[in-house]
């Protein structure tokens, strides 16, 4: 099998024998099935690369995806904030009576101190 491949240092238009080239590079000649598999793998890789590039070039779709992501994150944060507020309300209700009692005691003590200072 020969190819019309020009190599550096080869005369213009020289034919290169594929078997001789494979032997010279230390690689064995590939069979047709192996070459087909390699071509198919390369096509898949190229298709994936083209798909990625096309996705990067679609600014509208990227902006839409980013907006959807931000909307989802905002929704999650809203749920978290509501949960925190509900928890704070429960804690406040649990400690409301002791807090009112403590506030009343502070007010009575402060009032007593002010009355004493005012009398002196």
């Amino acid at each position: 099998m020969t190819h019309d491949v020009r190599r550096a240092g080869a005369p213009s238009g020289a034919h290169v024998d594929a078997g001789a080239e494979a032997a010279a590079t230390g690689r064995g000649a590939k069979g047709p099935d192996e070459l087909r598999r390699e071509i198919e793998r390369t096509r898949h890789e190229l298709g994936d690369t083209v798909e990625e590039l096309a996705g990067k070039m679609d600014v509208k779709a990227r902006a839409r995806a980013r907006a959807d992501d931000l909307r989802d994150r905002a929704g999650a944060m809203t749920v978290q904030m509501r949960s925190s507020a509900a928890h704070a309300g429960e804690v406040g209700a649990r400690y409301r009576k002791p807090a009112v009692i403590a506030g009343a005691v502070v007010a009575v003590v402060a009032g007593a101190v002010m009355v004493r200072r005012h009398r002196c």
Side-chain angles (χ1 to χ4, degrees):
M1 176 187 259
T2 61
H3 296 286
D4 286 344
V5 177
R6 294 183 184 175
R7 295 191 326 189
S12 179
H15 293 283
V16 178
D17 183 25
E21 184 176 343
T25 60
R27 294 180 296 187
K30 295 182 179 182
D33 290 336
E34 188 177 348
L35 288 173
R36 284 187 190 100
R37 283 191 299 269
E38 188 175 324
I39 289 169
E40 191 63 29
R41 184 175 58 246
T42 303
R43 282 182 181 159
H44 284 293
E45 290 173 359
L46 182 59
D48 292 345
T49 302
V50 169
E51 197 173 302
E52 286 179 30
L53 289 173
K56 288 182 179 183
M57 296 303 294
D58 190 357
V59 177
K60 187 182 282 187
R62 289 178 66 197
R64 193 175 305 121
R66 178 75 172 145
D68 290 344
D69 180 49
L70 290 174
R71 191 175 304 114
D72 291 345
R73 290 174 66 190
M77 290 177 79
T78 301
V79 169
Q80 185 178 6
M81 294 296 286
R82 285 182 181 166
S83 174
S84 296
H87 179 68
E90 291 170 7
V91 169
R94 187 179 317 143
Y95 295 108
R96 183 174 297 140
K97 193 172 186 178
V100 169
I101 293 171
V105 169
V106 169
V108 168
V109 170
V113 168
M114 289 177 70
V115 168
R116 276 193 162 192
R117 283 188 179 175
H118 188 58
R119 283 188 185 173
C120 292

